[in-house]
Amino acid sequence: MRFVDEYRSEPEARKFVDAIHGVVTKPWSLMEICGGQTHTLIKSGIDRLLPEQVTLVHGPGCPVCVTPLEQIERALAIARRPEVIFTSFGDMLRVPGTSADLLSVKSQGGDVRIVYSPLDAVKLAEQNPNRQVVFFAVGFETTAPANAMSVWTAHRQGLENFSILCSHVLVPPAMEAILSAPHNQVQGFMAAGHVCAVMGYWQYGPIADKYEIPIVVTGFEPLDLLQGCYMTLKALEEGRSGVENQYTRSVTYEGNRPAQRLLRQVFEPCDRAWRGIGSIPESGYRLRSEYATYDAETRFDVGDIEAAESEECIAGEILQGLRKPHECSAFGSKCTPENPLGAPMVSSEGACAAYYHYGRVKVS
């Protein structure tokens, strides 16, 4: 299979669906990690093609969704400063803080700009030596190498007006947090293929052994996900734990070693808060001391900002696979993509947005 259409072939999909129905004899609960995988599962209707005994729950792999509320508030505080050009990927602009979002700050005169690469923000710093340029560095191991490169580049060029608001999170500690939670329902994982393309899957073996579960590295097209479901369910039915790789066309056991070296050079692990979930030990990156001058949180003294979550939003439970989006009383009424209470409704990778846009629930 070399072309996209081949990964969406209906006859091939039917073969996997039949194989899944042939192997499943018991109830099982699987979690896909990535929000992109969630959208493909819901958009293509895979969740409706699986046996009734199989429950798909949706993981915390949406970078916009898990960026903590206090970090959004810090971004807003920095973006309001007149000397700052605040840069971000577009999907962060509508994520709600307690009373505003970056788009509203922009409409009120803040210099908030969308960039397509953190290196574009570095160029802005070169072109605007009298302004402070800040990049909102969110995301998982997938986006972290590019952000590390931006800091490394600014350091090499001696730029003193560039910094990042660092909010990186890491997948393996989040998986362990979910599995060790008292109300955990996850019996098998479909791990995010793009994270593993960077980091490999050598980190997943100890998790699979410790919790005696199958973990299947899985891609993002419908046939990837159907095959990932089949491999995970087959392992569960046979009582096997361990790690398998469905996404062999992009993922190796070792991963991208140069990217990993750059990450280790610029960042170090730290405890990190996840929106709606709380702090998870060693689940994030912070800048190493050699690069601390590029930390916007310190440069603009916003580290003490705190914020309280909406009591109505159950995003944290949805991100841990404990509840489904339509089980939220505000879904589709008080919380819509136009007026979101939480990030999963506004993010292009959010589970709530997937259920809303693809009509999983009738909204009155």
Side-chain angles (χ1 to χ4, degrees), residues 96-325:
T98 53
S99 60
D101 56 30
L102 285 168
L103 198 61
S104 61
V105 170
K106 181 178 175 65
S107 70
Q108 294 162 8
D111 195 346
V112 178
R113 305 186 191 185
I114 295 173
V115 294
Y116 297 98
S117 163
L119 291 175
D120 292 341
V122 175
K123 289 179 183 175
L124 277 173
E126 290 180 60
Q127 296 163 357
N128 297 273
N130 297 320
R131 306 282 304 278
Q132 288 287 326
V133 176
V134 181
F135 180 72
F136 201 176
V138 305
F140 292 86
E141 294 94 329
T142 48
T143 56
N147 292 332
M149 178 61 76
S150 73
V151 172
W152 183 86
T153 302
H155 180 68
R156 187 185 61 175
Q157 296 180 357
L159 291 175
E160 297 181 352
N161 63 328
F162 174 79
S163 58
I164 65 170
L165 181 58
C166 187
S167 192
H168 281 301
V169 286
L170 306 174
V171 169
M175 293 170 69
E176 287 221 60
I178 289 169
L179 291 169
S180 60
H183 303 298
N184 170 55
Q185 300 173 11
V186 177
Q187 296 167 293
F189 276 110
M190 290 185 285
H194 50 7
V195 168
C196 296
V198 176
M199 303 303 291
Y201 56 91
W202 51 271
Q203 296 173 301
Y204 294 73
I207 299 173
D209 293 341
K210 180 178 178 180
Y211 296 95
E212 299 182 334
I213 62 162
I215 300 173
V216 177
V217 180
T218 306
F220 302 88
E221 292 295 332
L223 290 191
D224 290 325
L225 288 157
L226 280 168
Q227 188 175 14
C229 283
Y230 172 73
M231 292 168 69
T232 311
L233 292 165
K234 190 168 190 295
L236 285 167
E237 289 282 346
E238 295 175 355
R240 292 186 286 109
S241 59
V243 183
E244 296 181 74
N245 182 15
Q246 180 277 329
Y247 204 34
T248 54
R249 65 184 185 277
S250 299
V251 172
T252 64
Y253 179 77
E254 296 83 5
N256 185 329
R257 291 287 181 84
Q260 294 169 31
R261 280 197 296 274
L262 181 62
L263 288 173
R264 289 193 296 271
Q265 180 179 343
V266 174
F267 294 123
E268 62 184 2
C270 67
D271 298 348
R272 180 66 70 184
W274 295 55
R275 187 169 190 174
I277 299 176
S279 181
I280 300 176
E282 299 287 291
S283 69
Y285 281 138
R286 67 185 173 200
L287 290 163
R288 288 189 177 276
S289 58
E290 306 94 289
Y291 298 94
T293 188
Y294 299 97
D295 185 348
E297 191 171 316
T298 302
R299 180 174 296 189
F300 297 99
D301 193 24
V302 293
D304 291 336
I305 291 178
E306 296 182 354
E309 290 281 359
S310 162
E311 294 183 358
E312 288 186 277
C313 181
I314 64 167
E317 294 174 80
I318 293 169
L319 293 168
Q320 297 173 78
L322 300 176
R323 298 176 75 178
K324 294 289 188 77

Side-chain angles (χ1 to χ4, degrees), residues 2 6 12 41 81 84 88 92 95 122 132 145 148 150 170 189 194 206 224 260-261 281 286 322 325 327 349 357 361:
R2 293 173 297 169
E6 293 175 282
E12 293 298 319
L41 286 166
R81 296 175 71 108
V84 167
S88 172
M92 291 303 297
V95 178
V122 175
Q132 288 287 326
S150 73
L170 306 174
F189 276 110
H194 50 7
D224 290 325
Q260 294 169 31
R261 280 197 296 274
R286 67 185 173 200
L322 300 176
E327 294 172 11
E349 295 187 15
H357 288 303
V361 184

Side-chain angles (χ1 to χ4, degrees), residues 319-341:
L319 293 168
Q320 297 173 78
L322 300 176
R323 298 176 75 178
K324 294 289 188 77
H326 61 274
E327 294 172 11
C328 175
S329 60
F331 180 86
S333 53
K334 291 182 180 179
C335 184
T336 65
E338 291 74 27
N339 295 291
L341 285 179

